[in-house]
Amino acid sequence: MYTRTFGAATMGVDGMIITVEVDSANGMPAFDIVGLPSTAVRESKERVRTAIKNSGLRMRSEKITINLAPANVKKESAGLDLPIAIGLLAAQGRLRPSICEDFLFVAELSLEGILRSVPGVLPIAIKAREEGFKKIIVARENINEALLVDGIEVYAPKSLMELVDFLDGEIEMTPATPQPIDTPEGFVELVDDFADVQGQFMAKRALEIAAAGGHNVLMVGVPGSGKTMLAKRMSSILPEMTRAEALEVTKIYSIAGKLPQGSGLVTKRPFQNPNHDSSTAAIIGGGTNPTPGQVTLAHHGVLFLDELPEFKKTTLEALREPLEERQVTISRVSGTLTFPCSMILICAMNPCPCGWNGDPDHYCRCSSIDIKKYTRRLSGPLLDRIDIQIRVPRVKYDELASKRKNESSAAIRERVAAARQIQTQRLEKYNLFCNAQMTHALIQKLCVLEPEAEALLKEVFETKKLSARSYDRIIKVGRTIADLAGGAEIISARHIGEAIKLRSDFEVDN
């Protein structure tokens, strides 16, 4: 007997509906799965067969053929266990085929028939709604994730047997409701705040401008100057995510399997801090079956690269496309996938191998050749894509011991949000939301400089032999500084002067 059910997998950051066709007929007993199944999907026949047996259900020894359509796309999800099991039971007469086609089934099966959670349920539920499905079956751990999508009923039986009874009409099951997230008793979440940072007023100002305009930052300073402390507080001054942004981030974390079990919408801006020995694929994304990298996990948030020159040269150069295009394109024989990565890059490094170059109170052991070799690990094209490049000096004792109350992240975030609102109104019709995303054509159209600002920029451009990209980025930072000052339509020489200072405070001799 032939029947079909519907399951799903993921491709890139989107869901993909899979039609599971099952044929069970007389003949030599066999169990074949076709349609480009991955190893995990091929192994599902053993999980399905054992789960059916251990659930107290009977499966006849027949020639079973299962096709996963579309057949030209490789299927990676263990969540196809459940639609395969339901399709098989329907093909052997245990369930009515018509009732099975009303649902989308997404869950892995344990050997005892318990439904287990799978990654990627949010993008799958979004795709299901787009394809007209009204009901979806998931594991209980995926309830909150699936419920983020409006207009679709979510059911979460505990076991295969409970689901069969529900489909048979022997028991009733109500649509799932949001589940509480367990928090350990007495748990107190520590929050990083700029109020904790003593001194470093220029660095704080630079990060505020970066947050307001979405600009990338390089901080250069001696060990212990507070570069990491500053970077870790960057997320705290970014505006609250919109629901659309939160859904995008949650989709990415769901697909990557990084979403905490039982959780729903991700509402905090991501902060990713990979180690410098991470592979290029781990940071950019890729692998045999492409998965999101750290740049994509930092989407709508912050990617922090500490000890920047210690990263592999190939990894640093691979960052150039994501920083420019705000997306990563990965090509394989099986197809091309695109992952979003609209993030702010924060980098930190020492000024030399020993770390003390330029510090008046410590002796630097490095020769000029050592320093040049160290800094030249960063190529000119990469540095060109970093809008703000500043030195972070060592904090003095008086600043550390001061009892003066510092400005909080909340106060800074208010100014950042106001500047972002000005940019949104200016750029919304171009489908952009911050100054860093402006193209050269938009800069020409939207960024008007007063004559004194034009003269200053021309002098610096010709003196320092800047590139066209550096020219654009100085203007974009100047536009952000003007927005923080109230959104003046004309960019003044003061705004451009500060932007130049923030870009030329540290220069690498390339």
Side-chain angles (χ1 to χ4, degrees), residues 106-108 115-118 137-143 155-157:
V106 186
E108 182 183 337
L115 273 62
R116 288 178 171 166
S117 62
V118 295
I137 305 290
V138 299
R140 293 184 176 181
E141 294 82 1
N142 289 134
I143 288 176
Y155 295 87

Side-chain angles (χ1 to χ4, degrees), residues 242-268:
T242 63
R243 180 169 175 81
E245 289 175 334
L247 279 171
E248 282 187 60
V249 173
T250 306
K251 278 175 60 176
I252 292 166
Y253 275 69
S254 174
I255 285 168
K258 304 285 186 181
L259 203 61
Q261 198 168 65
S263 67
L265 196 66
V266 175
T267 56
K268 293 183 179 179

Side-chain angles (χ1 to χ4, degrees), residues 218 308-309 313 316-318 320 374-386 389 508-510:
L218 170 62
L308 186 64
K313 182 78 171 178
L316 295 178
E317 295 308 305
R320 287 157 54 178
Y374 180 74
T375 57
R376 282 180 177 175
R377 295 178 188 177
L378 310 179
S379 69
L382 175 63
L383 289 172
D384 244 4
R385 289 165 168 81
I386 300 179
Q389 302 170 19
V508 174
D509 181 13
N510 277 300

Side-chain angles (χ1 to χ4, degrees), residues 205-374:
R205 170 67 174 168
L207 292 179
E208 178 180 340
I209 293 168
H215 305 290
N216 303 319
V217 181
L218 170 62
M219 295 184 290
V220 184
V222 299
S225 57
K227 304 184 294 295
T228 301
M229 187 178 188
L230 286 160
K232 287 184 175 180
R233 282 153 178 75
M234 183 66 173
S235 297
S236 69
I237 63 173
L238 290 172
E240 297 292 332
M241 284 198 292
T242 63
R243 180 169 175 81
E245 289 175 334
L247 279 171
E248 282 187 60
V249 173
T250 306
K251 278 175 60 176
I252 292 166
Y253 275 69
S254 174
I255 285 168
K258 304 285 186 181
L259 203 61
Q261 198 168 65
S263 67
L265 196 66
V266 175
T267 56
K268 293 183 179 179
R269 297 270 180 185
F271 180 88
Q272 294 296 321
N273 181 16
N275 193 277
H276 59 75
D277 64 356
S278 300
S279 67
T280 301
I283 293 178
I284 306 300
T288 305
N289 303 313
T291 55
Q294 294 285 310
V295 294
T296 299
L297 292 172
H299 186 54
H300 291 313
V302 175
L303 175 66
F304 176 45
L305 301 183
D306 201 1
E307 303 297 343
L308 186 64
E310 302 300 330
F311 283 82
K312 298 173 186 174
K313 182 78 171 178
T314 52
T315 301
L316 295 178
E317 295 308 305
L319 279 170
R320 287 157 54 178
E321 181 196 352
L323 291 177
E324 195 73 22
E325 303 299 329
R326 297 185 178 272
Q327 63 181 24
V328 176
T329 301
I330 300 172
S331 297
R332 295 289 183 269
V333 175
S334 57
T336 299
L337 297 177
T338 299
F339 297 107
C341 59
S342 183
M343 44 79 184
I344 296 176
L345 174 67
I346 306 294
C347 305
M349 62 178 283
N350 294 328
C352 65
C354 80
W356 297 109
N357 182 43
D359 187 85
D361 300 320
H362 289 82
Y363 174 72
C364 175
R365 304 188 303 272
C366 307
S367 67
S368 59
I369 295 176
D370 291 334
I371 295 172
K372 283 187 176 182
K373 185 177 179 181
Y374 180 74

Side-chain angles (χ1 to χ4, degrees), residues 36 95 111 119 167 254 290 323 360 396:
L36 287 184
L95 293 169
L111 295 184
L167 295 175
S254 174
L323 291 177
K396 301 300 183 183

Side-chain angles (χ1 to χ4, degrees), residues 4 173 230 233 257 321 335 434 459:
R4 68 174 184 173
M173 190 180 297
L230 286 160
R233 282 153 178 75
E321 181 196 352
C434 66
E459 179 184 352

